[in-house]
Amino acid sequence: MGERKLTPPGIVTVLLLVCAASFQLLRASDDVDDAIFYESFDENFEGRWIVSQKEEYNGAWKHEKSEGHDDYGLLVSEKARKYAIVKELDEPVTLKDESVVLQFETRLQNGLECGGAYLKYLRPQEAGWKPKGFDNESPYSIMFGPDKCGATNKVHFIFKHKNPKTGEYVEHHLKYPPSVPSDKLTHVYTAILKPDNELRILIDGEEKKKANFLSSEDFEPALIPPKTIPDPDDNKPEDWDERAKIPDPNAVKPDDWDEDAPMEILDEEAEKPEGWLDDEPEEIDDPEATKPEDWDDEEDGEWEAPKIDNPKCDAAPGCGEWKRPMKRNPAYKGKWHAPLIDNPAYKGIWKPRDIPNPDYFELEKPDFEPIAAIGIEIWTMQDGILFDNILIAKDDKVAASYRETTWKPKFAVEKEKQKEEEESVAASSGLADLQKKVFDLLYKIADIPFLSDYKLKIHDLIEKGEKQPNLTIGILVSVVVVFLTIFFKLIFGGKKKPASVEKPSPAPKETKANESGVENEENKEKEETSAAAPRRRTRRD
C-alpha cells in the first residue's frame, strides 16, 4: 500500500493541536514568571534539595515517575521510615500585606494507612536551624497538607505565631479541617492567604474550608486572647450552697409505709394451664446422636448424648413441674425518702470572678513570620507517596492555571482508569453471583428423582465448573443436554423390550444329542414367537 496522504481537514486539525499546545506552553511559561517559587521535579532533586543527615531520618527519597505517567515527582520509597528534605528559597516570602498562595500535588499511590503527606514552610535559618540538620524541631511558619492515622484524618493548616506579650511562639490549628481523599489518585492542595485575614482551603480546585485568622471559632487556640480570664486566686466561700433542691426537712414518713414489703409476690390466682405436661422434661437426649468411634470411656469419661428441646413441649403450654408465676406486689413502696423542695439558700453554681487578662493584645492581622524554605518532614507507615508541582504564588489565578495545566490532565487519566477498574470489579462480582446461582440451580436439578442415575456425573461437572468458572456456560449446556436427553427418552420411549413368552416344559434328558436338538428347537420357537408378538411400550407409573 502507498503512503497515506494527510487530507486538508487533517492538516487543519494538526495545526490547531499544535497551536493549542503552544498556547499551553506559553501560558505555563507566563505562570512560571508569575510564580514566586515552582518545583516540577522534572529534573533530579539531588543537588537542589538537601536531605537531612539526622540519623533517625533514614527514609530514601527517589526521583520517580508517577504511576501511569511520564511526569516525575519526589517519592517516599520505603515503609515505616522518617523522611526529611528541604529546599531553600532564593528570597524569603513575606506573608503580611499581600495575598500568598501555597499549592502542591500529592499522590498516595499505595493509599495511606498511617502517615503524613504535608509540607512545612520554614522560617529563616536565623531562627535556629540548618538544612542538613532539618528535623521536627526546625521552626516553621506554616504547616499544610494531608495527615492520616487512626482517628486523625485531616488536611492540616497550622501556623506558628509569636505572642507579642510573652514572646513565645504558639501553634494555632485550623478547627474542623477537611478530610483527606481516600483514593490513590493525584490531588492538588491549595491554601490561599488573603490580606483581609481570610483563609481558603481548596482540594482539586474546590473550596473545602473558609476561615478567618482572627476568629476564635476557626482556630484553636484563638490568635487573640480573651480580654478577661477567671481570677486564679478567687476561691469559693465555704457557705456557698450550689444545691438547687433539698429534701423537705419537715416531711415525715407515713405510719403505713412498709419499707420491707417485697417488690413481687406469688400470683395466688394463677392456675396451671390445661394440657401442661408435668412428666415431660424440657430437654431430652438427641435421638440421632451417636457415640463417636474414637471415644474412649477411660480417657474421655462416660459418653452422654447432647440435649435438644423436647419436641412434645412445642405443642403444649409447657413441660416439667408447674410453678406459680410472680406478680408485682401492690403493697410495695420501697425505701421512703423525703420529697425535694426548692433550696432557700441556693446561690447558683459558683465560678471565680473575671479579671482583665494580663496577656491580652489586639491585632488587625496576624504577624506571620516569612517563609525562607520549603521542607517535607514526615513519618509514615506507607510507601508510594509522591510529591509534585510545589508552588508559591501571589495570585490564586496563577495557582488555578497550574492546576489546569499540570494536575487536571493527570487526574483525568487516573480517574478514567479507576472507573474502568471499578467497572471490571463490578462485572466480575456480578458474574461470580450469576455463576453461584447457576451452580445452585444445577445442584437442585441433580436432586430430581428421575436423574438419580446421573447425579454423580452432574455433581462432577458442577465441581469442575466451580474450580474453573470460565467453564460455566459449557457445564450448563452439558447438564441441559443430559436433562433433555432423558426427558425426550421418557416422552418418546427408548429401546423396546421383546414381549415375554412362556417357556415350554423341557422334555426328559435322554441323550446329549437329544438335549442339543431340544435346545435348537426351543430357540427357533422363541424367535418365531418373538417375531409374531406385537410390540408394547413399557408403562411407567
Side-chain angles (χ1 to χ4, degrees):
M1 294 177 65
E3 185 179 351
R4 187 175 180 180
K5 293 184 179 180
L6 193 63
T7 60
I11 295 175
V12 173
T13 302
V14 171
L15 289 174
L16 289 174
L17 289 174
V18 171
C19 290
S22 300
F23 176 75
Q24 272 199 339
L25 290 173
L26 180 60
R27 181 69 181 275
S29 176
D30 291 342
D31 290 340
V32 170
D33 293 337
D34 294 334
I36 299 173
F37 171 83
Y38 176 61
E39 172 61 82
S40 65
F41 293 106
D42 290 340
E43 299 178 357
N44 200 314
F45 64 89
E46 294 180 359
R48 298 183 299 109
W49 288 69
I50 299 174
V51 177
S52 175
Q53 296 182 357
K54 286 288 190 77
E55 183 178 355
E56 64 267 30
Y57 294 96
N58 55 3
W61 295 99
K62 290 188 177 180
H63 184 237
E64 295 282 351
K65 289 182 179 180
S66 180
E67 185 178 330
H69 304 291
D70 289 330
D71 186 41
Y72 282 87
L74 182 64
L75 180 70
V76 170
S77 64
E78 299 175 291
K79 297 180 180 180
R81 292 285 189 273
K82 285 186 175 183
Y83 293 80
I85 192 169
V86 67
K87 173 73 170 78
E88 291 188 82
L89 306 183
D90 294 335
E91 293 182 3
V93 178
T94 59
L95 305 172
K96 293 184 178 181
D97 302 321
E98 297 179 289
S99 294
V100 174
V101 183
L102 310 175
Q103 181 169 286
F104 67 98
E105 296 175 14
T106 296
R107 185 180 186 188
L108 311 174
Q109 296 182 131
N110 298 324
L112 186 62
E113 297 175 1
C114 187
Y118 43 78
L119 269 58
K120 288 184 175 181
Y121 299 86
L122 301 166
R123 290 158 54 193
Q125 292 187 40
E126 289 77 6
W129 68 278
K130 297 294 181 184
K132 292 184 179 180
F134 175 47
D135 60 13
N136 65 322
E137 298 296 330
S138 299
Y140 64 85
S141 180
I142 292 174
M143 180 175 132
F144 171 53
D147 188 19
K148 183 179 180 182
C149 192
T152 299
N153 183 348
K154 65 179 79 173
V155 178
H156 281 295
F157 187 92
I158 306 170
F159 71 94
K160 280 192 175 183
H161 190 272
K162 185 178 180 180
N163 186 308
K165 283 290 188 80
T166 64
E168 296 179 355
Y169 283 90
V170 180
E171 283 187 357
H172 300 275
H173 294 245
L174 178 66
K175 288 183 178 180
Y176 317 116
S179 58
V180 181
S182 57
D183 56 42
K184 301 178 182 180
L185 309 179
T186 300
H187 294 283
V188 56
Y189 299 89
T190 309
I192 304 173
L193 291 71
K194 295 283 191 178
D196 61 356
N197 300 322
E198 182 183 85
L199 169 68
R200 296 173 59 212
I201 302 295
L202 283 61
I203 301 179
D204 298 342
E206 180 181 350
E207 183 177 296
K208 297 294 184 179
K209 179 73 175 181
K210 181 184 286 188
N212 188 295
F213 285 111
L214 302 185
S215 173
S216 60
E217 300 296 323
D218 293 331
F219 284 90
E220 177 64 35
L223 179 61
I224 299 177
K227 287 185 177 181
T228 61
I229 60 172
D231 185 355
D233 299 324
D234 192 13
N235 298 312
K236 182 172 70 173
E238 293 182 0
D239 62 347
W240 192 278
D241 197 337
E242 294 182 327
R243 298 174 301 165
K245 298 280 187 179
I246 60 171
D248 185 354
N250 299 319
V252 179
K253 182 175 73 172
D255 294 336
D256 61 348
W257 193 285
D258 185 0
E259 294 184 331
D260 299 324
M263 183 181 294
E264 291 185 330
I265 58 175
L266 285 174
D267 186 358
E268 298 294 343
E269 298 179 355
E271 295 182 358
K272 182 170 65 175
E274 185 177 352
W276 187 280
L277 305 178
D278 297 88
D279 300 328
E280 286 291 340
E282 294 182 359
E283 291 185 337
I284 60 173
D285 292 342
D286 185 354
E288 298 182 359
T290 57
K291 181 178 179 180
E293 295 180 0
D294 58 349
W295 187 276
D296 189 328
D297 290 336
E298 294 183 359
E299 294 184 4
D300 302 325
E302 183 179 355
W303 182 81
E304 295 181 358
K307 299 289 186 180
I308 62 171
D309 292 336
N310 189 344
K312 294 182 180 180
C313 297
D314 293 338
C319 291
E321 181 184 359
W322 181 81
K323 296 180 180 179
R324 292 185 183 278
M326 302 293 288
K327 69 175 184 178
R328 182 174 178 81
N329 183 4
Y332 172 76
K333 294 184 178 180
K335 189 73 175 176
W336 181 85
H337 296 281
L340 296 177
I341 62 172
D342 292 335
N343 181 6
Y346 175 67
K347 294 184 178 181
I349 303 300
W350 182 88
K351 61 180 181 178
R353 64 176 179 268
D354 287 338
I355 61 173
N357 184 0
D359 296 326
Y360 174 75
F361 58 85
E362 294 184 357
L363 281 178
E364 292 185 0
K365 60 180 59 181
D367 188 17
F368 288 111
E369 298 289 341
I371 296 173
I374 297 176
I376 306 174
E377 185 275 316
I378 58 174
W379 174 86
T380 178
M381 293 298 293
Q382 197 70 53
D383 60 349
I385 301 174
L386 191 81
F387 294 89
D388 199 5
N389 295 316
I390 300 174
L391 171 72
I392 300 178
K394 291 187 177 181
D395 190 344
D396 53 345
K397 293 181 180 179
V398 174
S401 176
Y402 271 88
R403 291 195 299 270
E404 192 72 22
T405 57
T406 64
W407 166 76
K408 194 172 183 179
K410 290 188 296 186
F411 183 78
V413 171
E414 294 164 12
K415 194 72 174 176
E416 183 63 28
K417 183 179 179 182
Q418 182 189 56
K419 181 180 177 182
E420 292 174 358
E421 291 174 351
E422 290 174 350
E423 290 175 350
S424 176
V425 170
S428 176
S429 176
L431 179 60
D433 290 341
L434 176 61
Q435 289 169 338
K436 184 179 183 303
K437 291 178 181 179
V438 169
F439 293 138
D440 289 343
L441 176 62
L442 293 180
Y443 275 119
K444 291 180 181 179
I445 291 176
D447 289 334
I448 296 175
F450 72 78
L451 293 177
S452 58
D453 292 342
Y454 301 88
K455 185 172 183 177
L456 293 179
K457 182 177 180 181
I458 294 174
H459 277 197
D460 184 54
L461 287 171
I462 297 172
E463 288 171 1
K464 288 181 179 179
E466 289 176 328
K467 293 177 181 178
Q468 304 179 58
N470 57 317
L471 300 179
T472 301
I473 300 301
I475 299 298
L476 179 61
V477 171
S478 299
V479 173
V480 170
V481 168
V482 171
F483 180 82
L484 292 177
T485 300
I486 298 172
F487 179 76
F488 284 119
K489 184 180 291 186
L490 291 175
I491 298 298
F492 300 107
K495 183 178 180 180
K496 305 301 187 292
K497 295 182 180 180
S500 59
V501 179
E502 186 177 351
K503 296 181 181 180
S505 300
K509 298 180 182 180
E510 297 179 358
T511 63
K512 292 184 178 180
N514 187 33
E515 181 179 358
S516 176
V518 171
E519 287 181 356
N520 290 336
E521 188 68 24
E522 189 176 55
N523 291 336
K524 182 176 180 181
E525 184 178 353
K526 283 183 179 180
E527 292 175 357
E528 292 175 354
T529 304
S530 176
R535 295 186 177 183
R536 291 183 301 170
R537 183 176 298 165
T538 303
R539 179 181 178 186
R540 285 183 178 270
D541 294 332

